[in-house]
Amino acid sequence: MVEVVVIGAGPYGLSTAAHLRGLQIPFRIFGKPMTLWRDNMPKGMLLKSDGFASNLAAPDNEFPLSRFYEDTGRRDYSDIGLRIPVQTLVEYGLEFQRRHVGAVDPSQVVRLSRTADGFEVVLDTGEQVLARKVVVAVGPLAFRHVPEALAGLPSRLLSHSSDNHDLSRLKGHVAVVGGGQSALETAALLHERGVGVTLLARRKLLWFDPANEDRPQTERSLLARVRRPNFGLGPGWRTWFWSEAPHAFRHLPATTRMDKAFSTFGPAGSGWLKHRVDGVLPVQIGRLMAAREQNGQAVLSVMGVDGPASLAADHVIAATGYKADLRRLGFLSELLDDIDRIGHAPVLDSGFESSVAGLHFIGYASAPSFGPSMRFIYGTRFAATRVMRRVSRPSFRRDLARGTLQQQTA
Ligand SMILES: Cc1cc2nc3c(=O)[nH]c(=O)nc-3n(C[C@H](O)[C@H](O)[C@H](O)COP(=O)(O)OP(=O)(O)OC[C@H]3O[C@@H](n4cnc5c(N)ncnc54)[C@H](O)[C@@H]3O)c2cc1C
């Protein structure tokens, strides 16, 4: 039996594994390292998070992104205003894994069930692993959301934004549905490739901090910086709570948490993207009502500000985000009824532990408990530290030292 199994090898899983290794708690970690960033983000994408908010969490903050830039001879690092190419984040994540995690098993977990003293984790290879505790860090991908209104389209005419790592396969005219960063950046990248693109957004496009976003912190006066300091999820005192107080977020009323967990910081685009979209490519404002196939094309029916309209396209990309819903995680089916939920996300205590003792959730699914920072890399330190505090409680450590818990065998 291993002490801890971590399901997921993205920023959250890797950060937790680094902390487990730091405390010499035997663990195994499953999943494809950095796969969301490597296989599901469009090539050429830039991160919206700042440099200082894109650190994976090793114990003692040993390997921040700045260190990776330094070690690889990249001279352009800055905490604020740095635009990080997605490929650089992938390389950083893999190097973080090499230095602070070690071996990751790329197998998929297909079933999770309880045993007398922990869990049985079944892999797609058929292997069965016993673990005392499990940390689920599977990210947002399983929670992809496509609006019901697009249900009438065949799959060759419709994809989710996360299916479009390689935009070069798209030709003709593409409709991108959504008004968040993913929609805006995908539309900009398509346009820059010479593909005809129309953005369909429910309301006028919103931009985060278009004036200040690109200016390095040092160029701003002290007064400006005090008035509008930078926090992990963005500048301005109003973001402080959502960004820096995940421990307090848990104590807000449940309805407020459900609302703020996913509505804060979206849908809107980064200020630095504005000049690549605004006035550059066509934007249609309206509510998507229905979609159908006609003569091999997708035809979208839209209720616009001036009444009904339609939009024809050779392909539709639903850049319509994610909805945390544990029912979408097939491997959880045997435990689902025992997990207390808020909406369809797990209710978590201060150690990210669910109502199933020993079963933890971090990352996207934990946002209704700890707030919007759990949707971003910035939340990895808080999550990894809290989970670690729980699994390294004196009683757990005592058992470990006494050998009541068997050491990792794999
Ligand atoms: C388009 C887009 C842009 C974004 N930009 C930013 C940004 O600029 N800055 C930022 O901070 N955040 C950004 N995010 C949010 C991003 O999702 C998180 O920051 C981060 O990737 C979450 O990390 P994670 O480890 O929770 O999940 P992920 O990175 O999604 O990793 C999930 C891991 O789980 C594994 N897994 C899944 N199911 C199983 C299974 N059954 N068995 C085994 N393993 C499994 C996968 O293989 C993978 O290793 C963006 C998200 C999107 C979609």
Side-chain angles (χ1 to χ4, degrees):
M1 176 184 276
V2 292
E3 308 328 327
V4 183
V5 153
V6 180
I7 306 177
Y12 277 81
L14 291 175
S15 296
T16 303
H19 278 71
L20 287 165
R21 189 162 108 162
L23 282 178
Q24 298 182 327
I25 295 176
F27 68 93
R28 285 185 72 183
I29 172 168
F30 301 107
K32 299 191 186 101
M34 299 301 284
T35 183
L36 174 72
W37 302 88
R38 200 160 40 168
D39 306 318
N40 299 94
M41 307 280 190
K43 282 183 201 164
M45 190 190 105
L46 301 171
L47 264 66
K48 67 178 163 194
S49 51
D50 273 313
F52 79 97
S54 305
N55 295 325
L56 272 67
D60 303 323
N61 199 19
E62 273 176 61
F63 190 49
L65 183 67
S66 57
R67 176 80 191 277
F68 175 72
Y69 267 64
E70 204 178 301
D71 290 359
T72 51
R74 293 170 165 91
R75 300 196 182 282
D76 56 341
Y77 180 84
S78 71
D79 274 345
I80 315 273
L82 171 70
R83 302 278 62 94
I84 306 160
V86 68
Q87 184 52 33
T88 304
L89 188 85
V90 171
E91 288 168 26
Y92 167 55
L94 296 180
E95 183 59 17
F96 180 95
Q97 178 209 328
R98 200 182 63 76
R99 293 192 194 191
H100 291 282
V101 177
V104 172
D105 184 331
S107 307
Q108 288 285 293
V109 171
V110 293
R111 218 187 82 215
L112 185 64
S113 55
R114 271 201 278 203
T115 62
D117 51 0
F119 299 89
E120 183 185 68
V121 182
V122 181
L123 307 179
D124 59 355
T125 55
E127 189 186 353
Q128 297 165 356
V129 180
L130 296 177
R132 240 171 73 83
K133 303 208 167 212
V134 169
V135 180
V136 179
V138 294
L141 213 50
F143 306 133
R144 274 181 269 225
H145 171 66
V146 176
E148 203 42 49
L150 291 171
L153 292 179
S155 56
R156 73 188 158 75
L157 293 180
L158 174 67
S159 57
H160 188 265
S161 49
S162 61
D163 298 323
N164 287 286
H165 172 58
D166 183 6
L167 295 173
S168 69
R169 69 186 184 89
L170 295 169
K171 308 271 183 275
H173 195 92
V174 177
V176 178
V177 180
Q181 177 80 1
S182 178
L184 300 167
E185 198 165 11
T186 301
L189 287 165
L190 281 168
H191 175 77
E192 287 155 10
R193 295 188 69 87
V195 178
V197 60
T198 301
L199 195 61
L200 175 61
R202 248 187 305 187
R203 56 185 78 91
K204 194 170 167 288
L205 301 184
L206 296 174
W207 302 97
F208 288 121
D209 215 25
N212 286 323
E213 186 86 12
D214 262 346
R215 279 206 286 156
Q217 178 83 339
T218 44
E219 283 180 20
R220 296 169 64 207
S221 70
L222 181 62
L223 186 64
R225 279 184 274 154
V226 169
R227 276 200 184 134
R228 200 171 161 69
N230 285 288
F231 298 110
L233 302 190
W237 283 107
R238 273 199 298 179
T239 65
W240 175 84
F241 182 77
W242 313 119
S243 198
E244 311 299 322
H247 50 286
F249 186 91
R250 212 169 59 82
H251 301 290
L252 294 175
T255 46
T256 312
R257 283 189 279 128
M258 274 315 275
D259 175 32
K260 295 296 179 191
F262 300 111
S263 68
T264 318
F265 306 109
S270 295
W272 51 262
L273 192 56
K274 191 170 186 238
H275 74 276
R276 292 166 60 192
V277 176
D278 245 13
V280 175
L281 51 90
V283 179
Q284 197 166 330
I285 307 293
R287 177 175 283 275
L288 177 66
M289 305 304 287
R292 64 184 194 284
E293 180 180 2
Q294 192 178 312
N295 302 330
Q297 277 200 313
V299 179
L300 307 184
S301 306
V302 178
M303 182 53 73
V305 271
D306 301 322
S310 67
L311 171 62
D314 299 300
H315 192 81
V316 178
I317 297 179
T320 40
Y322 304 84
K323 284 200 164 147
D325 184 345
L326 293 191
R327 297 172 304 175
R328 307 273 295 272
L329 299 178
F331 66 84
L332 274 185
S333 60
E334 285 180 37
L335 297 177
L336 204 55
D337 288 345
D338 296 332
I339 303 173
D340 290 347
R341 280 170 273 169
I342 163 173
H344 293 295
V347 171
L348 301 173
D349 71 8
S350 60
F352 286 77
E353 194 167 2
S354 68
S355 54
V356 171
L359 180 61
H360 301 251
F361 291 86
I362 55 176
Y364 199 80
S366 67
S369 292
F370 292 97
S373 62
M374 299 301 122
R375 288 162 34 211
F376 298 93
I377 299 172
Y378 191 61
T380 53
R381 175 158 305 282
F382 178 80
T385 313
R386 282 286 174 111
V387 169
M388 212 43 47
R389 214 181 281 166
R390 176 61 54 84
V391 300
S392 62
R393 267 180 177 173
S395 57
F396 182 76
R397 300 292 291 160
R398 219 172 20 244
D399 289 348
L400 198 62
R402 280 198 199 120
T404 343
L405 305 173
Q406 291 162 29
Q407 295 297 304
Q408 180 181 16
T409 50

